[in-house]
């Protein structure tokens, strides 16, 4: 533990990460600070496609209810569980579509096997449901298509901090995310989205059901989320804050 004596501050990206470090790292709690990730707000907003154009590019009808996920196809990303949880709702809601954007991890045999298993699972579904599940593969600048979605999902088992959630919320989307990692620091239950347990298809399905029932509030959720991201996750503000913190640490060292 000798090396910990030389730590002036330890930075992490979210409140859950801070609590975890406070529990396991033997330094004073007031030395562990949250420095959030961020996005260039103007650049991100300016890069979004218009809703109609995004829907055309994604290949879904304008009146469809679309849940999207942007992620590489990997066992830890929770795609299978979310799909399993959503299917009963797709049976009862014939206008509900799922869109998965992302490719396989090229150098990971487990990811390839997982993707193959997903394809087989998809092929075994009824045509009425399978035809509304769209695996789009990798798409350049995938954030641009966020306005074509109605809801965004992040079913990862553990996610330190997902920048795609910031992009989705800037696009005014309610987000469904797992109650692990940094996601609960960004997604506020029943205010900007809905949380569910990782690795749990039933919990994922229940979250999606809650989201669908809350459709009249989607615009309210989205506006609240977009405002919060613009204010609290603005990269320009965060980068300025980081510089100030470095300067303060150096100044403190010089006067020690």
């Amino acid at each position: 533990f000798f090396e910990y004596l030389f730590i002036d501050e330890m930075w992490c990206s979210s409140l859950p990460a801070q609590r975890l470090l406070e529990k396991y790292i033997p330094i004073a709690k007031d030395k562990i600070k949250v420095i959030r990730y961020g996005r260039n707000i103007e650049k991100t907003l300016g890069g979004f496609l218009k809703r109609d154009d995004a829907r055309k590019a994604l290949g879904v009808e304008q009146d469809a209810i679309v849940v999207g996920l942007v992620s590489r196809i990997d066992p830890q990303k929770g795609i299978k569980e979310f799909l399993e949880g959503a299917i009963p709702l797709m049976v009862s809601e014939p206008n509900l579509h799922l869109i998965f954007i992302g490719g396989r991890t090229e150098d990971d045999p487990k990811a390839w096997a997982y993707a193959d298993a997903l394809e087989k699972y998809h092929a075994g579904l009824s045509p009425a449901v399978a035809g509304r599940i769209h695996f789009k593969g990798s798409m350049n600048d995938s954030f641009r298509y966020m306005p074509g979605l109605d809801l965004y999902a992040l079913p990862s088992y553990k996610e330190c901090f997902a920048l795609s959630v910031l992009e989705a919320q800037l696009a005014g989307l309610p987000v469904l995310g797992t109650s692990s990692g940094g996601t609960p620091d960004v997604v506020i239950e029943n205010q900007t989205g809905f949380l569910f347990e990782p690795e749990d298809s039933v919990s994922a399905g229940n979250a999606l059901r809650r989201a669908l029932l809350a459709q009249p509030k989607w615009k309210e959720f989205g506006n609240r989320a977009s405002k919060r991201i613009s204010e609290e996750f603005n990269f320009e503000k965060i980068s300025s804050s980081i510089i100030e913190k470095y300067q303060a640490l150096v100044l403190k060292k010089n006067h020690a």
Side-chain angles (χ1 to χ4, degrees), residues 103-151:
R104 308 179 185 208
T105 305
E106 293 294 335
D107 57 350
D108 186 350
K110 290 184 179 179
W112 277 80
Y114 181 75
D116 287 340
L118 272 179
E119 287 184 1
K120 291 179 181 178
Y121 180 79
H122 183 209
L125 297 172
S126 70
V129 171
R132 289 180 282 126
I133 299 172
H134 315 272
F135 287 93
K136 308 301 291 187
S138 298
M139 300 177 73
N140 292 331
D141 296 325
S142 55
F143 80 96
R144 301 179 68 236
Y145 305 96
M146 290 291 187
L149 310 176
D150 294 298
L151 299 167

Side-chain angles (χ1 to χ4, degrees), residues 219-234:
K219 186 175 182 180
E220 175 188 335
F221 277 36
N223 289 341
R224 184 183 294 123
S226 182
K227 183 175 185 293
R228 180 169 182 251
I229 299 306
S230 296
E231 293 175 351
E232 299 182 27
F233 297 86
N234 185 319

Side-chain angles (χ1 to χ4, degrees), residues 73-85:
I73 298 178
D74 180 279
Q76 298 298 311
K77 293 300 183 180
I79 297 171
K80 177 75 178 303
E81 289 89 344
F82 189 80
L83 190 56
E84 290 173 338

Side-chain angles (χ1 to χ4, degrees), residues 138-186:
S138 298
M139 300 177 73
N140 292 331
D141 296 325
S142 55
F143 80 96
R144 301 179 68 236
Y145 305 96
M146 290 291 187
L149 310 176
D150 294 298
L151 299 167
Y152 184 75
L154 184 78
S156 302
Y157 293 177
K158 292 182 181 179
E159 196 80 40
C160 181
F161 198 102
L163 293 174
S164 65
V165 170
L166 301 186
E167 295 162 350
Q169 292 187 322
L170 273 176
L173 303 180
V175 173
L176 291 77
T178 47
S179 55
S180 65
T183 302
D185 195 24
V186 188

